[in-house]
Amino acid sequence: MAVRLLSKVKCLPGIQGVVYASGAAAPAQLSDFELQHKTPVIRKQKNIPIAQYGGRHAVTMLPGGGIGPECMGYVREIFKYIGAPIDFELVNIDPNVDNDDDVQYAITTIKRNGVGLKGNIETKSEAAYVTSRNVALRNELDMYAYVLNCKSFPGVSTRHKDIDIVIIRQNTEGEYAMLEHESVRGVIESMKVVTASNSERVARFAFEFAKRNGRKKVTTVHKANIMKLSDGLFLETSRRLAQEYPDIEHNDMIIDNCCMQLVARPHQFDVMLMTNLYGSIVSNVVCGLLGGAGLLSGRNYGDNYAVFEPGTRNTGTAIAGKNIANPIAMINASVDMLEHLGHHYHAGLIRRALDKTINTDRVLTPDCGGTASSSEVVDSIMQNIGRC
């Protein structure tokens, strides 16, 4: 469905930038959310009715740990200020427990609501039978594609200017399959799982994304020179699908060289396609190039559900409660969510206010070279709403 979603809209959330000059309703067309729930799906799941009341949407909110709760508070404050038609269903997950009861409840609410907004959820237990909460959410909801739009902010001082890269990451397998065992005492084996079906799904997603958004090139990132079967399958699948898109250039690059090229010459990249672990590494590299962990938002897509979150998935425990955390990434994630649900007017209000705060007024937290506190950044955004 995620591919069908791409084929029916000109561009994905975060790239659309659709803005309406007044409070008038958007044109009569299906939102991404509606497309996700009104078309056949690839993986059949037991349907739970979508919570949608009088034009409002219910959204699962997972604050997570570290700076997540305070950043979610800023999102709710802004949404209340603009009257966004969103009702949050708050779910807290205890990072200290050794069972998955909280996670299973969170999964149930996302299945009911169809959409989630989350911070990074800590998993403090080191017991082998306790899975990562973040990985469990993505796997249980089959959100196989992760999209990170990496675009420079003119108001943030960085070495490289005018970067515009989209990272598309396979989100449910690879080294994150969480299949480890001790074969003999002192020898641990960790399985990397790459399947033809998921490789094809995410590769097609990447090429369709490039096609619909006017992108010219897809670069597949791999380590097939060493992992000849697993990464070899992923690379071969990308090359095969590339033949169906003759107007889009396709090349590939080994992950080691890719990281060096990103730091030295990032403008050579357009859309980047990769497996799970490489996506985690490359996402953090690019976020560092653009100003740090506090700016970009990421989007998890599956056939049925979508979850929005800060792009680097960092918890930020060390700065929690100090009023210095950068709230921009979480606010950007909330705007992506609004656009996904079809609330373009409200999304546009926040996105324009964000742009003015960051790029014109340059009200920035210390991680981006500024001196503003978290609350001062949020106050600036709210002051700019409706004025730009």
Side-chain angles (χ1 to χ4, degrees):
M1 201 298 307
V3 171
R4 294 187 181 94
L5 185 154
L6 285 169
S7 68
K8 293 187 178 184
V9 293
K10 294 183 178 179
C11 47
L12 273 174
I15 312 296
Q16 288 172 313
V18 178
V19 174
Y20 298 97
S22 69
Q29 60 183 18
L30 293 180
S31 67
D32 295 346
F33 175 84
E34 291 168 325
L35 287 171
Q36 226 176 6
H37 292 277
K38 292 183 179 179
T39 56
V41 299
I42 296 173
R43 172 181 287 193
K44 297 291 183 183
Q45 304 222 26
K46 183 178 179 180
N47 291 326
I48 298 177
I50 302 305
Q52 199 171 4
Y53 308 103
R56 300 182 66 85
H57 283 90
V59 172
T60 301
M61 174 178 278
L62 304 171
I67 63 173
E70 58 193 274
C71 289
M72 287 297 191
Y74 297 136
V75 169
R76 298 180 79 162
E77 186 178 351
I78 293 171
F79 276 34
K80 181 179 180 180
Y81 182 74
I82 65 172
I86 301 296
D87 297 311
F88 287 113
E89 183 175 358
L90 183 64
V91 179
N92 288 304
I93 296 178
D94 187 347
N96 298 302
V97 297
D98 286 351
N99 61 64
D100 291 334
D101 293 348
D102 288 348
V103 175
Q104 290 305 316
Y105 177 66
I107 290 169
T108 298
T109 68
I110 294 173
K111 286 182 176 180
R112 178 169 60 244
N113 298 325
V115 176
L117 179 69
K118 69 179 284 290
N120 197 53
I121 302 167
E122 293 180 289
T123 307
K124 292 186 176 180
S125 174
E126 295 182 359
Y129 61 86
V130 178
T131 61
S132 163
R133 273 78 168 134
N134 298 290
V135 174
L137 281 169
R138 297 195 291 270
N139 289 352
E140 287 288 329
L141 296 170
D142 191 33
M143 296 185 293
Y144 64 89
Y146 180 72
V147 180
L148 181 66
N149 185 24
C150 310
K151 192 169 183 178
S152 294
F153 294 86
V156 178
S157 179
T158 57
R159 177 179 177 182
H160 297 288
K161 308 296 181 183
D162 300 321
I163 294 175
D164 188 2
I165 299 170
V166 175
I167 296 170
I168 296 178
R169 163 186 176 182
Q170 207 296 322
N171 211 24
T172 57
E173 54 184 26
E175 293 85 352
Y176 287 66
M178 298 185 295
L179 298 174
E180 296 183 312
H181 64 273
E182 187 173 21
S183 54
V184 296
R185 186 173 179 82
V187 178
I188 304 296
E189 295 180 334
S190 179
M191 295 182 65
K192 173 177 180 174
V193 177
V194 177
T195 63
S197 59
N198 276 324
S199 296
E200 180 164 344
R201 277 208 295 177
V202 76
R204 190 172 297 281
F205 185 101
F207 281 103
E208 286 291 328
F209 180 96
K211 178 181 177 181
R212 298 301 174 185
N213 289 282
R215 298 278 177 165
K216 304 300 182 183
K217 181 170 72 172
V218 173
T219 300
T220 300
V221 180
H222 64 93
K223 191 65 176 175
N225 58 322
I226 301 297
M227 287 169 273
K228 299 180 185 295
L229 295 181
S230 56
D231 280 25
L233 172 61
F234 190 83
L235 177 59
E236 186 278 329
T237 302
S238 299
R239 287 173 172 170
R240 174 170 54 81
L241 284 179
Q243 298 175 9
E244 300 180 21
Y245 299 86
D247 295 332
I248 300 172
E249 179 186 351
H250 177 255
N251 69 340
D252 61 85
M253 190 173 292
I254 295 173
I255 179 63
D256 321 36
N257 183 38
C258 172
C259 291
M260 181 184 69
Q261 293 293 329
L262 276 169
V263 174
R265 296 193 303 117
H267 298 96
Q268 66 184 285
F269 297 104
D270 193 353
V271 175
M272 304 178 72
L273 168 66
M274 60 203 75
T275 55
N276 212 338
L277 179 60
Y278 305 152
S280 178
I281 296 168
V282 170
S283 295
N284 279 266
V285 170
V286 179
C287 285
L289 290 175
L290 296 182
L295 293 171
L296 302 182
S297 57
R299 293 163 275 160
N300 301 272
Y301 291 115
D303 298 324
N304 294 288
Y305 314 110
V307 172
F308 303 87
E309 63 183 339
T312 61
R313 297 173 173 170
N314 291 330
T315 307
T317 304
I319 59 173
K322 297 181 180 179
N323 200 23
I324 59 173
N326 194 334
I328 299 297
M330 190 70 79
I331 296 171
N332 269 326
S334 73
V335 175
D336 293 341
M337 180 199 72
L338 285 171
E339 291 177 335
H340 176 77
L341 293 171
H343 299 302
H344 300 297
Y345 171 72
H346 296 89
L349 286 175
I350 302 175
R351 197 173 290 285
R352 291 193 299 274
L354 273 170
D355 179 73
K356 186 174 187 301
T357 295
I358 300 170
N359 299 320
T360 303
D361 302 339
R362 300 199 175 189
V363 180
L364 304 170
T365 46
D367 58 303
C368 291
T371 59
S373 66
S374 309
S375 55
E376 287 172 339
V377 172
V378 174
D379 288 344
S380 176
I381 293 169
M382 293 176 68
Q383 289 170 9
N384 285 327
I385 287 174
R387 300 180 182 178
C388 52

